[in-house]
Amino acid sequence: MVQKDNKSWLVMLTQSYILIGLLIFGLIYAASPSGFMLSVDTSFQLMCQLFLGLVIWSFVSWYLTTKRLFDPYVLFLLSSIIFNGGQIILEVFHLNELGFLGNTFSVADALQIVYIVTLSIATMHFGALLCVVLDRQKSQSSKFLEFLNRGAATDPYTRLGLDPSNQPSGLLSSSLTGIRSSSLPPKIAAPFRSSIVPARTALMVGQILLYLSIIPVMVVAIGAIQVARSGGYASLYEQQAVTGAAASVQIIADFMFPGVFLTIAAAQRKPHLRVFAVLCILLYTCAKLTIGTRGAAVMPLLAMLWLWDGVVRPIPRALLAGVSALMLLVVFPLVGATRNEVAGVDVFSIDFITKTLTGVDNPLVASISEMGFSATTIGWTIDLVPKVRPFAAGMTYLVGMLVLIPNVFSAGRHPALTMSGYDIPDFWLVGELDREFAQRGGSFGFSFISEAYLNFGWFGIIVLGLLGFGFAKLVQWALRERDPIKMAIIAIFVSFFLFYPRGSSEMVFRPFVWYSLFPYLWMRWLSKLNAIRIKGLLNALRKGDK
């Protein structure tokens, strides 16, 4: 019979109780906030502590269920926690020097923010755990059915999963024939399955995309560095959106990611190509750090490290911890403190770097505090919706899909936005809060929690549960067979997807289709085309022999 994974189901049950408890707390508080048994200040501090406990439990429960602590879901979970709950964690230890979110909101509003973040992370994690548990149950059932089918065969070699044509003769054959099906082990290891895309095809596609994107990447990087050095980091967000033919340069430049990751996955016998691909990512990371965009710099690097760890060779966890500490304690604070320095200041001098680092009281706290300030978009969205505008009822997700085709044929507003009457969520928010800043092309960013609330209010947590389930399903699709090409496709998507907790859905659909799905379908098409050609050649050879 199929063995039930009691540990995984116990984890799922615990997560269910956590989610139910949070829902009951919210319903009781919403029914009578003034008559609640705890004061608003006490409730706020308690909810911050509960969020910290949920964060710890999320990583522990994922490890108990999957035995993994370094995979795409963990990276996405970490990104979601830092961007939306970084200042919540600091609040527990009283490390918010300027107050929670700079005291922008009242304590009652701050409690709402902390509660919706806690409920959203818990729901998303519930969906991810449910996917893994159900996937494992399905896998065990498939193995059990396969075992039963083998046991029903009369030939012992078939029952053992061996090739009957290679049966030995003599004593070994008779001894195998005497084995009864009841003595077979309850679990039979799944046979090795090669990638559905040949390595040579994947490498060819990767190399084409990589070399195609090198010059556009250099053009985009040099332009961004010039803007940042002349006007500071903030000037990057005051540029008008690139449209028309000029947008094609950025689109082609982003094909560097499928080029790099497919090369790493497929160049098993060509290590020099892997080294070149790694150098491309490192140079890209350095260029992004130079202009001050820490998230865009680190996310492709994390995706590359995960792919290398799973496809090439395991990376020592001590090395990963050391690199993470270096980024959080040195690089991030340094970039955050220097990215608004303009031309005339040598930010690479030893004296300037030393003075900057010593001027930061706690580098780790400074980094988490700045990234966690993104939660202000959640509070602003709750304040504005539905008072200022009605719920979008899924329209922002639809708009995110409609802008799949970039605006390369016309200048100005994307036609999909004009026809739908809706705007990108972060454009809408900055327009409501600071119209002058919006007219200069400025943006405050957004949050995937804000977008869920913008569309469906408090019922938006269901969307986040589906998001957790869907992303975990995608990760399991790649890791179930440890397929290097599938893992490369996931790594490509992760390079963009890790920023989704700080943005909105248009930065999910377009990268997925253009940079993950398109190369994958291209490789599948080439593989089938080669198979048809080989089959035709074999048929021709057989006819020639006759």
Side-chain angles (χ1 to χ4, degrees):
M1 60 182 297
V2 180
Q3 295 181 351
K4 188 174 181 179
D5 190 350
N6 294 323
K7 183 191 296 184
S8 298
W9 283 106
L10 181 61
V11 169
M12 271 300 308
L13 187 63
T14 305
Q15 186 68 24
S16 302
Y17 286 148
I18 292 173
L19 193 55
I20 292 172
L22 288 171
L23 290 172
I24 292 174
F25 175 88
L27 291 173
I28 293 175
Y29 184 83
S32 179
S34 59
F36 194 65
M37 63 186 72
L38 300 175
S39 66
V40 177
D41 292 303
T42 304
S43 299
F44 172 72
Q45 293 297 329
L46 175 63
M47 188 55 61
C48 290
Q49 294 168 8
L50 289 175
F51 177 76
L52 178 60
L54 175 67
V55 168
I56 297 173
W57 162 252
S58 297
F59 291 110
V60 171
S61 59
W62 187 255
Y63 179 77
L64 291 175
T65 307
T66 66
K67 300 302 179 183
R68 300 193 302 262
L69 273 179
F70 184 48
D71 67 13
Y73 175 75
V74 171
L75 295 177
F76 181 71
L77 177 64
L78 184 61
S79 176
S80 304
I81 291 169
I82 291 178
F83 281 122
N84 295 278
Q87 290 211 9
I88 301 176
I89 297 174
L90 296 181
E91 187 66 23
V92 175
F93 303 101
H94 306 288
L95 294 175
N96 287 319
E97 295 183 359
L98 301 178
F100 179 69
L101 299 179
N103 288 326
T104 306
F105 304 94
S106 65
V107 179
D109 290 341
L111 174 59
Q112 270 194 322
I113 295 172
V114 176
Y115 176 72
I116 194 173
V117 170
T118 305
L119 186 61
S120 298
I121 298 297
T123 307
M124 183 186 76
H125 193 57
F126 175 84
L129 288 175
L130 180 62
C131 171
V132 173
V133 171
L134 292 179
D135 188 73
R136 179 172 299 171
Q137 193 74 10
K138 181 179 178 181
S139 176
Q140 290 177 349
S141 299
S142 299
K143 290 179 180 179
F144 181 66
L145 290 175
E146 182 182 357
F147 170 73
L148 289 180
N149 291 332
R150 288 176 178 174
T154 57
D155 181 46
Y157 299 92
T158 304
R159 292 201 304 267
L160 288 172
L162 303 176
D163 185 1
S165 63
N166 295 327
Q167 295 183 20
S169 59
L171 181 61
L172 180 59
S173 176
S174 60
S175 62
L176 284 175
T177 307
I179 298 178
R180 295 187 304 172
S181 61
S182 59
S183 64
L184 293 176
K187 292 184 179 180
I188 298 177
F192 173 78
R193 297 180 180 178
S194 61
S195 173
I196 56 176
V197 178
R200 183 165 57 182
T201 302
L203 182 59
M204 181 189 69
V205 171
Q207 291 288 283
I208 291 174
L209 296 177
L210 180 57
Y211 294 131
L212 178 69
S213 64
I214 286 179
I215 293 179
V217 167
M218 295 174 62
V219 171
V220 172
I222 292 173
I225 291 173
Q226 289 176 344
V227 171
R229 294 297 295 137
S230 61
Y233 170 75
S235 62
L236 292 172
Y237 294 91
E238 296 182 1
Q239 305 294 309
Q240 293 296 326
V242 179
T243 58
S248 60
V249 178
Q250 179 66 62
I251 295 169
I252 298 174
D254 286 339
F255 276 106
M256 182 191 74
F257 299 113
V260 164
F261 295 128
L262 288 175
T263 298
I264 292 175
Q268 293 126 340
R269 299 182 181 180
K270 297 182 179 180
H272 63 283
L273 294 180
R274 279 178 167 166
V275 172
F276 178 70
V278 171
L279 286 177
C280 288
I281 289 292
L282 294 178
L283 290 174
Y284 176 88
T285 299
C286 292
K288 286 294 184 179
L289 290 175
T290 300
I291 63 178
T293 53
R294 295 172 297 189
V298 172
M299 290 171 186
L301 179 63
L302 290 173
M304 185 201 70
L305 290 175
W306 170 74
L307 182 63
W308 188 278
D309 181 77
V311 171
V312 183
R313 67 181 54 152
I315 300 175
R317 294 306 181 254
L319 178 60
L320 284 176
V323 171
S324 301
L326 177 66
M327 298 296 288
L328 287 173
L329 298 177
V330 178
V331 177
F332 278 12
L334 181 63
V335 172
T338 62
R339 61 185 180 180
N340 282 317
E341 298 291 342
V342 296
V345 179
D346 186 8
V347 296
F348 298 105
S349 66
I350 300 299
D351 293 339
F352 183 84
I353 293 174
T354 304
K355 182 180 178 180
T356 301
L357 287 176
T358 54
V360 180
D361 293 335
N362 192 323
L364 180 61
V365 171
S367 298
I368 295 177
S369 178
E370 186 175 355
M371 289 185 286
F373 201 74
S374 303
T376 53
T377 63
I378 302 174
W380 289 328
T381 303
I382 294 175
D383 284 346
L384 295 172
V385 181
K387 295 177 183 177
V388 175
R389 61 164 291 174
F391 292 110
M395 284 301 298
T396 69
Y397 296 112
L398 178 61
V399 167
M401 290 186 284
L402 291 176
V403 297
L404 278 175
I405 302 176
N407 191 15
V408 297
F409 303 106
S410 64
R413 186 178 173 87
H414 197 289
L417 302 179
T418 304
M419 290 186 295
S420 66
Y422 283 81
D423 211 337
I424 301 298
D426 56 332
F427 294 171
W428 160 77
L429 183 63
V430 70
E432 292 288 346
L433 299 175
D434 192 339
R435 192 167 299 277
E436 182 181 349
F437 184 48
Q439 290 174 350
R440 299 200 308 267
S443 174
F444 297 130
F446 211 61
S447 164
F448 71 146
I449 298 175
S450 303
E451 186 173 20
Y453 181 88
L454 172 61
N455 282 277
F456 304 108
W458 290 96
F459 291 101
I461 62 170
I462 299 174
V463 176
L464 299 177
L466 296 174
L467 173 70
F469 187 93
F471 186 58
K473 191 73 174 178
L474 199 61
V475 174
Q476 290 294 105
W477 170 76
L479 294 181
R480 189 180 300 112
E481 302 169 4
R482 308 296 298 183
D483 188 312
I485 306 304
K486 291 182 179 180
M487 292 175 68
I489 295 298
I490 299 300
I492 297 165
F493 181 55
V494 166
S495 301
F496 300 92
F497 189 62
L498 289 183
F499 203 70
Y500 178 44
R502 178 71 172 87
S504 50
S505 56
E506 84 281 349
M507 61 177 55
V508 174
F509 296 114
R510 183 184 291 179
F512 177 77
V513 173
W514 278 74
Y515 305 115
S516 293
L517 185 60
F518 167 68
Y520 179 72
L521 294 178
W522 186 15
M523 290 185 294
R524 290 294 304 271
W525 177 74
L526 289 176
S527 300
K528 290 183 178 180
L529 187 64
N530 290 335
I532 293 173
R533 289 177 177 176
I534 293 173
K535 185 177 180 180
L537 180 61
L538 292 175
N539 290 334
L541 291 174
R542 291 192 187 101
K543 291 179 180 179
D545 291 339
K546 292 179 180 179

